[in-house]
Structure formats: C-alpha cells, structure tokens
Amino acid sequence: MLGDGTRCVHGGESDPAVAEPLMPGPVFAAPYHLGGADRVGDADFYGRAGNPGWRALEGALGELDGGSCVLLPSGMAAIGTLLRTVLHAGDALVLPADGYYATRDLVRTELSELNLDVREVPTPGPFPQETFEGARLVLLETPSNPGLDVCDIAELAERAHAAGALLAVDNTTATPLGQRPLELGADAVVASDTKAVCGHSDLLLGHVSTADEELAARLTRSRTLSGAVPAPFETWLAHRSLATLDLRLERQAANAAALAEALAEHPSVSGLRWPGLPSDPAHELASRQMRRWGGVLRFELRDAEAVCRLLERSRLVSGATSFGGVHSTADRRAQWGDSVPEGFVRFSAGCEDTADLVADVLAALD
C-alpha cells in the first residue's frame, strides 16, 4: 500500500492527459447533454444524481477508508442518511451516551416517528449482552467527542454481528488516516469532513464509507431521492484540501502531544485526556486500533469564567465550535448541551509552530 501522504495527494486522480490540469476544476451542472438518445448506462444526466467531482473525492476517501464512499453535504447529513437508510420503525438502535450531542438529538426529534428502541451506552462501556440483542444498528464514536474515550471496535463488531446487528463507527475525531474501522470489522464508517479532511474551517461536508456494495447503493439512492447532495465547489475545495491532510495531521498531533505534556502538571488544569499520552486510560486500546494520533485533546478549567479568560488572553487560540482546522481552537462544550463540567474544554491543536502554541497557552493560563 502506498503511504498516507501519497494517497492523500494522488487519491481520486484520473489518468493524466497532455495539456490538462493536474487537478480538474469543479463541474457546475444541473442537466447534462444526453445527445439524441435516451439515458445511457452510468453517464451523468442530472446534477442531483451525479457529478464528476463527487466521484473523484469519493474515490480518494473510499481508498483511505477501505470501502466505497458516498459523499454528503455535512457530517450530520451523513449520519442522518445512514440512520434513515438502515433503520425501520420499531428497530433497536445503540448510540454512544457521551458522543456528539446532535446525533442523539436527531434520533430523539427528527426520527421520533420511527418509535425506535434507543439504547445509550457510554463509549468505554460496559456493553452487557442485552445491549446487542435484537438491535438493528450499533453506532460507535471512538475516540468519542468530546470526552475522547475509546472502545474496542473489533470486539464490539464481532458481538454486534453475532446478534445480527450492523455496526457503524463515527470516525470524525480519528480521521481516515488515524483509524480504519472497516478493517476492524465495522460495516460502515461515517465522518464529518468539515473537520480534519477539509481542515480550513471554511466548508461543510461529510461521507459514509462501506465495504458492502448493496448498502453503498442504498445510500446513494437515498442521497439522490432526498436531494441531500454536496455542492460542486465545496467538493472541489475538500478534494484540494485532502492533499495536505497527512502533513496537517502530523503537525496537529505534535502540537497536541506538546500541549498535553505541558498541561499535565499545570495547577489550573484537571481532567486532561489525549489518547496519545502513555498515561491516558485509553492509550493501550487506542494504540492497538489507531494508526496515528490526532490533534484533539480535552481538559477542564475551574469554571466558565476561567475558559473565557484563557480565550481573551491567548493570541493564537480562537473560541470556536469545531475542530481539525489549521487554526488552534478551544470550545467550552457545556454551552452546547454536553453533559460536562462548565469549565470543560475541547481543544483542537492547529498547525502553528509548536513552541509558539505551547508558550501562548501557558501564558494565557498563567
């Protein structure tokens, strides 16, 4: 297999032709020319059903994930499309109790008419056998957002399959370079590409990948009929940004490691978690199933006011409710409804020089 950087740079490329650009531009089209015949084969005919830019990025992301990729206009569109495609009325659904809050909110509100049997389990478990019995879908999020807890994908996939359930993994925090859930037994991987894949905090995008071609076809059909399609320009920007994912992730992980080390003994900081730390409770398991570390860490300050002071005093860290971008950001998660202390911070290490970032954060805390 080619290296991460090579696959990021060359993923989704078509055969080169003389005098054509290295990377084709976005394709803007509603209808396509049909010629004098009816629709033929898989040729593009309407913008809601197909776009060359989608296929190029899907090819790149699918290769990184190890399956067939279906591109969606946001991470929540990806999760919603997966849930609506797989679930039927009365089905049992297992969700992370400590994962992204909007997923649980979507199930409780927009999918309430399905009368689902929703079973919420914390990411680190425990997962008693009755969790899986009669379940249709088990959705994991590892490392979890925002807590950064980890669960054993391979073990839980085996148990879910034994009970007749499908297992999907929200891989947003790990990134497709950091973790390959399909290789660990997952049936589907879902991600918000708004975060690390795009990496510049300027667009929304998401995807679902699966090794099951029949499921991929159903997801594509759902996308076409619902109209939840990504825009051509955003797709092109994301594909362009993907080329630097390997480089960005390397710097972000180095910055996260340096920050975690600097904050570990800081008197103002408690509850520090980053799976890459050897002392982290999730480190051993994460080391077995993750290919590399990411740039997201979490910690707690005394209260909401302390978080505000950190952001006011920092020159390099912005308050923002996303992660994975080239700019370092800090998000006080309690304001969004997560069940965390008021001073809980999800910190996304950006691509600044490591020494500058560490010095800035320590100065803001002191």
Side-chain angles (χ1 to χ4, degrees):
M1 180 186 294
L2 296 173
D4 286 349
T6 303
R7 291 185 296 141
C8 286
V9 170
H10 292 280
E13 286 183 344
S14 56
D15 293 334
V18 175
E20 289 189 357
L22 291 177
M23 183 176 176
V27 176
F28 300 105
Y32 296 82
H33 282 292
L34 294 178
D38 290 338
R39 177 188 172 193
V40 178
D42 294 327
D44 288 319
F45 66 97
Y46 189 60
R48 181 164 44 82
N51 184 286
W54 299 352
R55 292 192 293 275
L57 182 53
E58 286 172 338
L61 292 173
E63 181 182 358
L64 294 178
D65 283 333
S68 295
C69 171
V70 179
L71 204 63
L72 281 305
S74 70
M76 283 307 299
I79 289 174
T81 299
L82 175 67
L83 295 181
R84 289 186 175 94
T85 300
V86 170
L87 297 173
H88 304 91
D91 279 346
L93 168 66
V94 180
L95 288 178
D98 53 349
Y100 185 44
Y101 76 95
T103 301
R104 297 190 300 276
D105 197 20
L106 171 72
V107 171
R108 292 167 183 162
T109 57
E110 301 304 306
L111 300 184
S112 60
E113 71 277 5
L114 292 180
N115 294 313
L116 299 171
D117 174 9
V118 181
R119 306 166 185 177
E120 296 186 9
V121 183
T123 294
F127 287 84
Q129 187 53 38
E130 53 265 29
T131 300
F132 303 96
E133 292 175 356
R136 173 62 177 159
L137 176 66
V138 177
L139 177 61
L140 309 176
E141 185 177 275
T142 178
S144 61
N145 171 25
L148 300 185
D149 275 310
V150 172
C151 59
D152 192 324
I153 297 172
E155 177 192 343
L156 295 176
E158 183 177 348
R159 294 178 63 189
H161 294 158
L166 297 175
L167 183 129
V169 177
D170 186 330
N171 205 40
T172 302
T173 307
T175 84
L177 298 188
Q179 190 169 260
R180 290 168 64 90
L182 298 181
E183 290 184 350
L184 298 170
D187 299 285
V189 57
V190 61
S192 171
D193 301 319
T194 305
K195 312 300 191 294
V197 168
C198 296
H200 292 79
S201 306
D202 55 6
L203 61 91
L204 299 176
L205 208 67
H207 78 272
V208 183
S209 287
T210 176
D212 183 339
E213 292 300 328
E214 190 270 337
L215 177 56
R218 291 170 58 200
L219 291 166
T220 301
R221 181 175 183 271
S222 177
R223 176 182 69 184
T224 300
L225 294 178
S226 69
V229 296
F233 188 65
E234 279 78 355
T235 299
W236 178 79
L237 283 175
H239 197 174
R240 186 185 69 163
S241 298
L242 179 64
T244 60
L245 175 60
D246 175 54
L247 299 173
R248 289 185 278 108
L249 194 63
E250 183 178 1
R251 172 61 67 85
Q252 290 165 340
N255 283 349
L259 281 168
E261 183 178 351
L263 297 178
E265 304 300 328
H266 196 284
S268 300
V269 174
S270 62
L272 176 69
R273 295 291 304 273
W274 184 61
L277 275 178
S279 59
D280 191 275
H283 180 75
E284 182 180 355
L285 174 56
S287 297
R288 285 190 269 122
Q289 68 184 19
M290 294 183 69
R291 301 173 65 245
R292 57 197 290 180
W293 308 118
V296 181
L297 60 152
R298 53 149 283 197
F299 55 86
E300 295 172 30
L301 300 181
R302 184 180 61 197
D303 51 26
E305 183 180 352
V307 179
C308 289
R309 285 200 302 270
L310 167 67
L311 293 171
E312 289 171 354
R313 294 171 178 174
S314 171
R315 295 183 299 112
L316 301 179
V317 182
S318 300
T321 184
S322 191
F323 58 89
V326 294
H327 298 83
S328 289
T329 60
D331 189 13
R332 192 178 71 82
R333 291 304 301 171
Q335 66 183 308
W336 307 112
D338 281 326
S339 182
V340 294
E342 288 297 315
F344 182 106
V345 175
R346 183 186 66 197
F347 194 101
S348 177
C351 293
E352 298 88 355
D353 284 340
T354 303
D356 293 339
L357 181 59
V358 171
D360 177 76
V361 172
L362 291 179
L365 285 173
D366 293 338

